[in-house]
Amino acid sequence: MSLRIVVCVKYVPDATGDRHFADDLTVDRDDVDGLLSELDEYAVEQALQIAGEADDAEVTVLTVGPEDARDALRKALSMGADEAVHVEDDGLHGTDVLGTSLVLAKAIEKTGYDLVVCGMASTDGTMGVLPAMLSERLGVPQVTLLSEVSVEGGTVKGRRDGDAASEQLEASLPAVVSVTDQSGEARYPSFKGIMAAKKKPVETLDLEDLDIEADTVGLAGSWTAVDSAAQRPARTAGTIVKDEGDGGKQLAEFLVSQKFI
Amino acid sequence: MAEVLVYVDHVDGAVRKPTLELLTLARRIGEPVAVALGAGAADTAATLAEHGAVKVLTAEAAEFADYLVVPKVDALQAAYDAVSPAAVLLPSSAEAKEIAARLAVRIGSGLITDAVDLEAGDGGPVATQSAFAAAFTTKTRVSTGTPVITVKPNSAPVEPAAAAGTVEALSVSFGAAATGTKVVSRTPRESTGRPELTEAAIVVSGGRGVNGAENFAVIEALADSLGAAVGASRAAVDAGWYPHSNQVGQTGKSVSPQLYVASGISGAIQHRAGMQTSKTIVAINKDAEAPIFDLVDYGVVGDLFDVVPQLTEEVKTRKG
Ligand SMILES: Cc1cc2nc3c(=O)[nH]c(=O)nc-3n(C[C@H](O)[C@H](O)[C@H](O)COP(=O)(O)OP(=O)(O)OC[C@H]3O[C@@H](n4cnc5c(N)ncnc54)[C@H](O)[C@@H]3O)c2cc1C
Ligand SMILES: Cc1cc2nc3c(=O)[nH]c(=O)nc-3n(C[C@H](O)[C@H](O)[C@H](O)COP(=O)(O)OP(=O)(O)OC[C@H]3O[C@@H](n4cnc5c(N)ncnc54)[C@H](O)[C@@H]3O)c2cc1C
């Protein structure tokens, strides 16, 4: 049985860079290098492992993002994905999560799928809600926040380690899965993988291809509005002491002065 | 006055603190109507009434425990249809965020997650969010539909405010999707007797510098002397020294206590993302150049195995 897997990957500003907002209060993408969200590497890894276990499987990576987002697709292709879909349209600038989930759902339906694999959250918006939204929009089960996942005979199984309990979950395909960074280290692209990626197909789609009305996405079509973004004032420099044998006692004095003891 | 739906997080009828904080925020924008689901739902009513709930809508059904997330969405949507609220508030737990996400899609409304504050505004509630590992503070509104907003723990004080708390049974019909994802088994996490990490007023965390699972006893002893929760960096968790459920940071828990004590933690951006909004930050690290010192109110450059036990002894002596 063939298995069609679509992996959602997001192109994000490097978290170790100086991230900030642009004048229109969207993420400034010009000043900071972008990359494949590290948490989506885990999604690509699990998709490749699931594909490896299947008789016949195909892994498509999908992103919604600006031109540079192609870098994220290339990285995923060099890890071993078979092909890529890039939804790119000027009208998408500033799209919020309702809009992004709409675009992704339409692109996934167009591509065709048995399994959608996402990361647990992006490293920029960090909402952690998009997989659930995709499940709602596609009308298929969500099997999310998994630290362990497997697919066998049309069923996806996984372990979700929640706040209060660890749960074993099960659903029939088609389904939407999201995996955590506990699911297993992601592989590094090999030189061969990087060379091969250059020849793999990347399909580009725009809003018209997906039959999406321009006024349901982008800044104008957003369901949410950011009114202001202010840099948090730098913390005032704290007191730093060197332990000369009484560091613990000095720290205790500080905690007393702050009424913690 | 407009009604505001508040999704109740409870364990067998015991309401968790973040829900009481939500009731404080809900009262700033309207009259709280609480929605409690699952075993013990009706037992939440007295506590919710003491904190301002004018009404408590309850539903019990096996589906809530046997299937993932969607049955709760069906129930919250039933409450939404019954009340026509001005906003829907949920705690920022992983599960509640997913419930919020699906509800927002269903009712065609904007979604804001991880708010750290909430005020009434001319065009509806205005949320404060922290962005980019708390380097920025944004003010955000929902511009389309009924605002669906999830709020982080420790974002508001718990304030008692007596209200009627009338209990009403909520009638829920589950859709076809409700039984899509089966919970085959559930292993509850063992309680340590310590406060819940995300709700604790004080968090004491250890990192790679703790250098071994057995050495976490040093961190735990300090936590216990202060009545604190124990946290860990991802390096300590990945090394298998402490459970992942205690990880603080981007892919762990996000905490915002009154006091955060970091020992043997360098302060990588992903760790900071989970603790930078703590009110007072203290660190113990033998490397004076560790980035965590950029954040601290008080830092000790020293060996944690000298400093932490000494601190623990001092705390114990002073507390008597
Ligand atoms: C600091 C900040 C705060 C924001 N707050 C809000 C808010 O409160 N409300 C709101 O509506 N929008 C918000 N946004 C916008 C939102 O982040 C984007 O719409 C985003 O694409 C979806 O949210 P996320 O990345 O946080 O998703 P998450 O739910 O964190 O992402 C989970 C997974 O979904 C997949 N995914 C997400 N986006 C894409 C994509 N573009 N292409 C492919 N796969 C993707 C990835 O697999 C990812 O790992 C915010 C953005 C930023 C930068
Ligand atoms: C996608 C992604 C998500 C991540 N999510 C998280 C997350 O949620 N949480 C998280 O914590 N990290 C996360 N990380 C990892 C993060 O980048 C760091 O690797 C991690 O936080 C380092 O942990 P640490 O500070 O304990 O270890 P190190 O960086 O190794 O620091 C150890 C510190 O201990 C000090 N030390 C050593 N011995 C002693 C001693 N005897 N006394 C005093 N000090 C001592 C050292 O000087 C050093 O500063 C994530 C990374 C990625 C890529």
Side-chain angles (χ1 to χ4, degrees), chain A residues 38-39 42 123 181, chain B residues 207-209 232-236 247-252 264-268 270-271 284-287 290 302-305:
Chain A
E38 283 157 307
L39 295 171
Y42 295 88
T123 59
D181 59 336
Chain B
R208 201 194 305 269
S233 73
R234 179 165 158 189
Q247 183 179 314
V248 171
Q250 186 184 65
T251 56
I265 293 178
S266 62
Q270 296 89 354
H271 188 78
I284 300 136
N285 196 307
K286 65 182 183 190
D287 174 10
D303 191 317
L304 75 91
F305 294 106

Side-chain angles (χ1 to χ4, degrees), chain A residues 13 15-16 19-21 27 38-39 42 97-98 101 120 123-124 126-129 132-133 135-137 140-145 160 162-172 181-182 185 222-232 235-243 245-256 258 260-261, chain B residues 16 68-69 94-95 97-98 101-102 104-106 108-114 131-144 180-189 202 226 234 238 244 247 250-251 253 258-259 269-270 276-282 284 293 295-302 306-307 310-311 314-315 318-319:
Chain A
T16 59
R19 294 178 295 178
H20 51 265
F21 291 90
V27 176
E38 283 157 307
L39 295 171
Y42 295 88
V97 76
L98 266 290
S101 65
M120 63 185 286
T123 59
D124 59 347
T126 63
M127 298 183 76
V129 298
M133 285 189 166
S135 155
E136 181 69 37
R137 289 197 187 274
V140 303
Q142 73 168 73
V143 196
T144 46
L145 295 172
R160 174 171 165 123
D163 261 1
S166 174
E167 296 165 332
Q168 289 292 338
L169 305 178
E170 204 174 289
S172 301
D181 59 336
Q182 300 288 301
E185 274 309 301
S222 267
W223 281 259
T224 50
V226 182
D227 288 337
S228 68
Q231 191 139 22
R232 235 174 118 88
R235 293 185 83 102
T236 42
T239 309
I240 295 177
V241 301
K242 195 170 176 326
D243 179 32
D246 64 348
K249 288 195 174 124
Q250 288 190 328
L251 188 43
E253 288 300 337
F254 171 76
L255 295 182
V256 169
Q258 301 296 307
F260 288 115
I261 309 178
Chain B
R16 292 182 54 179
L68 192 73
V69 174
E95 185 186 43
K97 282 210 277 191
E98 293 188 331
R102 301 188 73 118
V105 170
R106 285 191 191 182
S109 290
L111 170 69
I112 293 171
T113 56
D114 299 318
F132 301 146
F136 281 82
T137 301
T138 58
K139 299 268 188 197
T140 315
R141 277 176 302 119
V142 165
S143 46
T144 303
T181 308
K182 211 170 157 191
V183 179
V184 181
S185 68
R186 178 177 287 121
T187 316
R189 225 171 70 204
I202 304 180
L226 290 164
R234 179 165 158 189
D238 283 354
H244 177 250
Q247 183 179 314
Q250 186 184 65
T251 56
K253 301 269 166 62
Q258 295 298 318
L259 172 64
I269 185 79
Q270 296 89 354
Q276 199 155 353
T277 55
S278 304
K279 303 287 176 302
T280 299
I281 297 174
V282 164
I284 300 136
F293 285 125
L295 295 183
V296 298
D297 297 284
Y298 200 94
V300 181
V301 180
D306 298 328
V307 178
Q310 190 179 64
L311 172 61
E314 281 296 308
V315 176
R318 285 166 193 266
K319 282 196 166 176

Side-chain angles (χ1 to χ4, degrees), chain A residues 7-13 21 26-27 29 37 39-40 43 62-65 94-101 104 117-134 178-179 222-224 226, chain B residues 110-114 129-132 138 140:
Chain A
V7 190
C8 296
V9 296
K10 191 176 179 187
Y11 179 71
V12 299
F21 291 90
T26 63
V27 176
R29 294 174 182 275
S37 174
L39 295 171
D40 289 339
L62 164 66
T63 197
V64 174
T95 305
D96 66 3
V97 76
L98 266 290
T100 305
S101 65
L104 281 170
V117 186
C118 294
M120 63 185 286
S122 72
T123 59
D124 59 347
T126 63
M127 298 183 76
V129 298
L130 203 128
M133 285 189 166
L134 284 181
S178 76
V179 299
S222 267
W223 281 259
T224 50
V226 182
Chain B
L111 170 69
I112 293 171
T113 56
D114 299 318
Q129 284 174 298
S130 269
F132 301 146
T138 58
T140 315

